[in-house]
């Protein structure tokens, strides 16, 4: 059995290397409609946050270039917030008995900064990606790409048939502290030629969450003030 797996890996690896990184990325970005995603400045998404106990909470997610994101919703009839303006991240977590706005913890900051992308997250790193070949990940053969992004290492696992992103692993190293988050992309859907997952599962040290996207509005207005932390009295 091990011999068969090795043979399969070898055959597929030869095919992947023959295709090359440029061919893989070209097919990937064309599938996503990334050329058109790059022209969009803001997106508002309505959906649900599903926790580990499969409890569902309504959410609204607003994303604005560059790197501004606001996630808000209702948890047990209380409003929660997670917001980042690309530099600072803040919010309110009623499950932690927070009444006032607080800065997010480093792990929470890492998650919110990498929670949503306009199209494929690979587009920001296409000039620094390395093709590492085929690899078994979560029991499936997938194409693995990797890049260094400041103090972050990013690994992308693509479907070997259609080049769609299946998993993303982000490792953050600051001093002696290492944090990791994993994102699983599922149930892709086209919105007028723009491809996006409708389910994103996020796994991290202190738990996991799933965001399910129901409706997406493209190009709507979003004031920068939505992403700025209110002054504390």
């Amino acid at each position: 059995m091990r011999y068969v797996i090795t043979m399969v890996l070898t055959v597929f690896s030869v095919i992947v290397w023959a295709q090359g990184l440029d061919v893989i990325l070209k097919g990937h970005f064309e599938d996503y409609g990334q050329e058109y995603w790059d022209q969009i400045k803001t997106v508002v998404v309505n959906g649900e946050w599903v926790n580990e106990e499969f409890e569902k909470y309504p959410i609204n997610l607003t994303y604005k270039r560059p790197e501004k994101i606001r996630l808000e919703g209702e948890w047990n009839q209380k409003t929660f917030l997670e917001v980042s303006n690309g530099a600072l991240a803040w919010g309110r977590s009623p499950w932690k008995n927070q009444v006032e706005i607080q800065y997010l913890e480093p792990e929470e900051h890492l998650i919110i900064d990498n929670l949503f992308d306009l199209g494929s997250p690979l587009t920001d790193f296409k000039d620094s990606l390395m093709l590492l070949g085929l690899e078994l990940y979560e029991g499936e053969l997938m194409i693995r790409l990797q890049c260094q992004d400041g103090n972050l290492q990013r690994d992308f696992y693509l479907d070997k048939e259609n080049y769609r992103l299946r998993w993303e692993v982000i490792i953050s190293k600051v001093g002696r502290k290492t944090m990791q988050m994993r994102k699983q992309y599922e149930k892709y859907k086209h919105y007028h030629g723009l491809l996006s997952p409708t389910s994103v599962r996020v796994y991290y040290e202190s738990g996991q969450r799933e965001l399910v996207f129901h409706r997406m509005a493209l190009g709507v207005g979003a004031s920068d003030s939505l992403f700025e932390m209110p002054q504390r009295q």
Side-chain angles (χ1 to χ4, degrees):
M1 184 64 178
R2 182 177 298 177
Y3 175 77
V4 173
I5 293 175
T6 301
M7 287 293 295
V8 171
L9 275 169
T10 301
V11 170
F12 275 112
S13 293
V14 170
I15 294 173
V16 167
W17 287 114
Q19 292 170 334
L21 180 59
D22 290 342
V23 173
I24 292 170
L25 290 181
K26 183 176 184 295
H28 174 82
F29 291 135
E30 286 180 352
D31 185 32
Y32 277 71
Q34 195 61 45
E35 177 184 356
Y36 303 104
W37 273 117
D38 290 343
Q39 300 173 30
I40 295 169
K41 304 301 181 184
T42 57
V43 169
V44 175
V45 182
N46 304 118
E48 295 175 325
W49 176 335
V50 184
N51 67 14
E52 296 176 75
E53 288 74 38
F54 301 103
E55 298 169 326
K56 299 178 180 180
Y57 304 100
I59 60 167
N60 287 306
L61 186 152
T62 304
Y63 186 94
K64 182 177 183 179
R65 294 187 190 272
E67 302 176 342
K68 298 178 187 291
I69 184 169
R70 180 186 179 100
L71 179 69
E72 58 185 305
E74 294 294 322
W75 181 87
N76 291 347
Q77 299 182 333
K78 297 178 181 178
T79 300
F80 68 81
L81 286 172
E82 291 184 352
V83 186
S84 175
N85 63 7
L88 298 177
W90 52 275
R92 180 192 298 116
S93 304
W95 50 86
K96 295 193 292 187
N97 295 319
Q98 285 184 1
V99 177
E100 298 181 350
I101 295 295
Q102 305 284 342
Y103 288 108
L104 296 186
E105 297 293 332
E107 183 181 60
E108 297 170 325
H109 193 165
L110 177 68
I111 292 168
I112 192 66
D113 274 350
N114 294 279
L115 196 59
F116 187 82
D117 298 277
L118 294 178
S120 169
L122 274 67
T123 190
D124 292 330
F125 313 105
K126 57 187 176 183
D127 295 328
S128 56
L129 286 167
M130 297 182 295
L131 173 60
L132 301 185
L134 273 177
E135 187 172 307
L136 273 173
Y137 189 77
E138 293 293 325
E140 293 187 65
L141 268 179
M142 287 179 272
I143 300 170
R144 182 184 177 190
L145 308 179
Q146 186 181 90
C147 74
Q148 295 294 324
D149 173 27
N151 67 335
L152 304 181
Q153 175 183 300
R154 297 177 183 270
D155 288 274
F156 302 100
Y157 293 88
L158 276 58
D159 189 292
K160 66 181 186 300
E161 302 294 338
N162 58 25
Y163 306 144
R164 290 184 181 178
L165 183 60
R166 300 284 300 281
W167 286 87
E168 179 181 2
V169 181
I170 303 173
I171 299 174
S172 172
K173 295 182 179 180
V174 180
R176 296 182 178 180
K177 185 173 180 60
T178 300
M179 296 181 293
Q180 175 179 286
M181 64 174 288
R182 303 189 307 138
K183 295 174 65 180
Q184 183 180 15
Y185 298 84
E186 299 180 302
K187 302 175 183 177
Y188 279 90
K189 178 181 177 180
H190 278 101
Y191 297 86
H192 306 288
L194 302 174
L195 187 70
S196 179
T198 60
S199 171
V200 177
R201 299 176 187 266
V202 183
Y203 303 87
Y204 44 97
E205 183 177 350
S206 60
Q208 66 181 62
R209 65 174 71 172
E210 179 185 8
L211 298 186
V212 179
F213 304 141
H214 296 317
R215 293 177 298 278
M216 186 177 295
L218 308 176
V220 297
S223 171
D224 286 340
S225 62
L226 286 173
F227 310 95
E228 299 305 322
M229 185 175 182
Q231 292 185 354
R232 289 190 269 187
Q233 303 298 324

